[in-house]
Amino acid sequence: MRTTASRTALLLTALALLTAGCGTVTAGSDDADPAPETKDRAHEVAEAWDGSPAADAWRKGYYPMADAVQPPEDAFHNEDDKEAYGRQNFELRGDLPDSKQREGKVTWRNGGSLTLPLMGAQEAYKTVDRTDAPAPRLVVTGAKLGETTLVTSRGPATVPAWLFTVEGYDTPLKRVAVKPSKLPEPPIGPARDTPSEGLWELNRLVETAADGRSVTVLAHHGSCDDGPAVDVLETDGSVVLSGHVVGMKDGPCTSDLRAKKVIVELDRPLADRLLLDAFTGRPVPQGNPDGPSGSWS
């Protein structure tokens, strides 16, 4: 049996494995029928969210579906710089501005806007520079307030961002300067303990395709299986993803939790439909919670 708590406790192991590269598999609605143990739960989650007050609140909020930190356009010049960025190892050689602006506006391309508290330059920098380690490091020499574009749950948006000048690069590193809205109270709780060959919690959303016709997620699996699979249930209001493993094997197994990228093909664009995790009953989180742009969940 695996519980949400035990999965969370093993998350750091999974993240360490991810940095070494873990391959990608593709799943979609034209694959084989969903595993029987995931099908009923997916319908329960969809029915709970579709048309709910929580879904309405979600569609009025700001929930990024892409990384809040964007490297310079010409990154990276060498492997040392790439390593420094991946390890979040920076060095500040200059002053950061103390902006008197306390609010920033998110403006959606398809209409609508939302005013949110603005993150200061110092706070934003601390979310980027999270490691105090020897070289290699990326050197930041200053910053100014600007904006960037970002994919969100309501489509592309223009958002305030701190533009950090990085030594040796012609374009800035951008860090979104507003925090996501608070997640509404989910209308359904997490699944109870399930066998490891049944429903598994997803790790996070990695990417949404530009046309919205596919999403890439990190899905968990163990050491004695052939890897993860992700079933998909699409409704008018949501897309429910059910992670599970395939090819369970007998024999001695290690207890480490692993993760692999899975591309999930959709019948139609995701648009403003909620992307939900069948196990947790919550929207699939975006971003590494311990990384430069932690998830809103």
Side-chain angles (χ1 to χ4, degrees), residues 99 101-105 116-120 123 145 160-162 177-178:
S99 174
Q101 186 175 336
R102 295 292 178 255
E103 293 183 330
K105 181 178 289 188
L116 296 168
L118 189 72
M119 183 186 303
E123 181 182 357
L145 188 61
W162 284 105
V178 290

Side-chain angles (χ1 to χ4, degrees), residues 11-261:
L11 182 58
L12 292 178
T13 303
L15 293 174
L17 289 163
L18 295 177
T19 60
C22 48
T24 305
V25 295
T26 301
S29 54
D30 56 351
D31 291 348
D33 288 340
E37 58 268 29
T38 72
K39 203 170 186 178
D40 291 345
R41 171 65 180 178
H43 280 284
E44 290 175 2
V45 171
E47 289 172 2
W49 275 93
D50 288 357
S52 69
D56 184 57
W58 170 271
R59 292 188 175 92
K60 293 178 181 176
Y62 161 63
Y63 301 99
M65 303 288 278
D67 203 324
V69 178
Q70 301 169 346
E73 293 175 7
D74 52 342
F76 289 98
H77 293 173
N78 52 58
E79 288 301 316
D80 281 352
D81 286 0
K82 184 177 180 180
E83 179 185 346
Y85 180 81
R87 295 175 65 185
Q88 304 165 57
N89 199 25
F90 289 75
E91 180 179 346
L92 180 60
R93 295 181 189 169
D95 296 325
L96 297 179
D98 183 14
S99 174
K100 294 182 172 24
Q101 186 175 336
R102 295 292 178 255
E103 293 183 330
K105 181 178 289 188
V106 177
T107 304
W108 279 272
R109 186 179 300 172
N110 59 0
S113 63
L114 186 65
T115 299
L116 296 168
L118 189 72
M119 183 186 303
Q122 290 282 356
E123 181 182 357
Y125 178 76
K126 289 177 181 178
T127 69
V128 174
D129 179 17
R130 298 168 66 96
T131 305
D132 184 15
R137 293 179 177 179
L138 284 169
V139 176
V140 170
T141 58
K144 66 178 180 179
L145 188 61
E147 60 185 25
T148 189
T149 57
L150 194 72
V151 177
T152 77
S153 60
R154 294 165 58 177
T158 299
V159 299
W162 284 105
L163 312 182
F164 291 100
T165 304
V166 180
E167 192 172 90
Y169 288 85
D170 296 330
T171 58
L173 178 148
K174 301 177 182 179
R175 203 305 178 187
V176 173
V178 290
K179 296 179 180 179
S181 301
K182 182 180 178 181
L183 183 70
E185 184 66 30
I188 187 172
R192 297 187 179 278
D193 294 352
T194 58
S196 59
E197 66 268 28
L199 194 62
W200 285 50
E201 179 181 356
L202 296 173
N203 184 306
R204 62 184 174 95
L205 172 67
V206 175
E207 183 181 24
T208 303
D211 62 1
R213 293 298 298 266
S214 69
V215 295
T216 301
V217 296
L218 282 174
H220 288 145
H221 69 107
S223 63
C224 284
D225 55 60
D226 291 331
V230 178
D231 298 328
V232 55
L233 171 68
E234 298 191 45
T235 72
D236 289 340
S238 63
V239 173
V240 184
L241 303 182
S242 301
H244 59 100
V245 297
V246 293
M248 294 295 295
K249 302 172 185 177
D250 295 327
C253 302
T254 59
S255 61
D256 57 309
L257 186 64
R258 306 179 182 187
K260 180 178 287 188
K261 290 181 182 179

